Amino acid sequence: MKTIGMIGGMSWESTVSYYKALNEGVKQHLGGLHSAKIALVSVDFAEIERLQHSGEWGKTADILSDAAASVEAAGADFFMICTNTMHKVADEICANASIPLLHIADATAEQLVSDGVKKVGLLGTQFTMEQDFYRGRLTDKFGIEVVIPDSAQRERAHQIIYEELCQGQVNTTSREAYLAIIQDLQAQGAEAVILGCTEIALLVSQQDTEVPLYDTTEIHAKAAVQLALS
């Protein structure tokens, strides 16, 4: 079994979901008392969040590059950045690492392609929804058309992530807001919706809507288990 390197803490709320999914996935495949071999570095999200919103992405890349070096030194065979938004600096992190990155957008896109989804809605932070590092990768590398919410909806979705979900708050009114956005994305022609922030699955799940949802945390963890056991 390969050792999975996890860069977590962004937020720790969703890192818990990752850790659980990785270990459950390995146990499902191997049975008995088997669990995942993991090297985990968890960063201080307050520091990352401040740099994100001040536009100091280079400094976030430095922090996560150090984290990648740490999991590599701990014996990781590959690593995961356990958040969608910080894949904005994935290239900078990979340039300083000698073990491969399992990219969250690639894992998600491969599942979408496998399922025949050609047009998808994207939910996440404003950084993820509005900037090209994620949307462009889905379109340019995998040929998937991406639609996003309108400006007011993007702001509301972002606010819920940082002010509620990353702080462990799950509110019914916020779930209703997300479900309304999901319906609007479907009205724009989205065949499915990517939950493109690792916290969103804490708020909405497939049982809440008939629109197919792609939980990036679940998909990323499943891909990591497959790679670790390959």
Side-chain angles (χ1 to χ4, degrees):
M1 189 194 311
K2 298 182 180 72
T3 298
I4 303 166
M6 290 177 61
I7 302 177
M10 300 167 285
S11 67
W12 72 261
E13 298 283 349
S14 63
T15 302
V16 171
S17 301
Y18 264 99
Y19 188 80
K20 186 171 185 286
L22 291 170
N23 283 291
E24 287 180 343
V26 168
K27 182 176 181 179
Q28 182 180 359
H29 280 85
L30 300 182
L33 295 175
H34 284 288
S35 57
K37 295 174 67 176
I38 294 171
L40 166 63
V41 171
S42 191
V43 301
D44 179 5
F45 189 46
E47 184 178 8
I48 297 290
E49 183 273 337
R50 178 180 59 81
L51 294 170
Q52 286 176 338
H53 285 94
S54 62
E56 297 177 86
W57 293 98
K59 291 183 179 179
T60 69
D62 291 341
I63 293 168
L64 298 193
S65 292
D66 288 344
S70 294
V71 297
E72 183 177 343
D77 295 291
F78 64 94
F79 73 103
M80 315 166 69
I81 303 168
C82 298
T83 165
N84 286 271
T85 298
M86 292 314 301
H87 281 74
K88 177 178 172 66
V89 293
D91 289 345
E92 293 92 325
I93 299 165
C94 289
N96 295 304
S98 58
I99 56 174
L101 168 69
L102 179 61
H103 199 293
I104 195 169
D106 291 354
T108 302
E110 286 164 6
Q111 186 65 59
L112 289 164
V113 170
S114 176
D115 292 344
V117 176
K118 297 179 180 179
K119 185 173 183 178
V120 71
L122 176 61
L123 282 172
T125 66
Q126 285 178 292
F127 309 118
T128 299
M129 291 185 287
E130 295 173 0
Q131 298 180 21
D132 195 55
F133 70 92
Y134 201 97
R135 293 162 54 190
R137 193 176 185 98
L138 294 176
T139 300
D140 297 341
K141 190 173 179 180
F142 297 94
I144 299 169
E145 183 180 353
V146 180
V147 295
I148 61 173
D150 66 33
S151 177
Q153 291 173 328
R154 296 196 301 270
E155 185 175 351
R156 178 67 174 132
H158 184 93
Q159 176 193 23
I160 290 168
I161 290 166
Y162 281 92
E163 296 182 11
E164 298 176 19
L165 299 178
C166 288
Q167 300 185 47
Q169 300 174 27
V170 178
N171 298 319
T172 300
T173 54
S174 297
R175 179 179 294 111
E176 292 170 351
Y178 261 81
L179 291 174
I181 296 171
I182 288 168
Q183 290 299 322
D184 285 350
L185 290 170
Q186 185 185 44
Q188 291 185 57
E191 302 163 55
V193 172
I194 297 171
L195 305 183
C197 176
T198 52
E199 283 82 19
I200 298 175
L202 302 172
L203 183 67
V204 295
S205 65
Q206 192 61 71
Q207 67 185 16
D208 297 317
T209 178
E210 294 181 357
V211 180
L213 302 179
Y214 283 72
D215 174 2
T216 53
T217 303
E218 178 184 343
I219 292 168
H220 203 197
K222 181 180 178 181
V225 169
Q226 291 172 342
L227 182 55
L229 298 180
S230 64

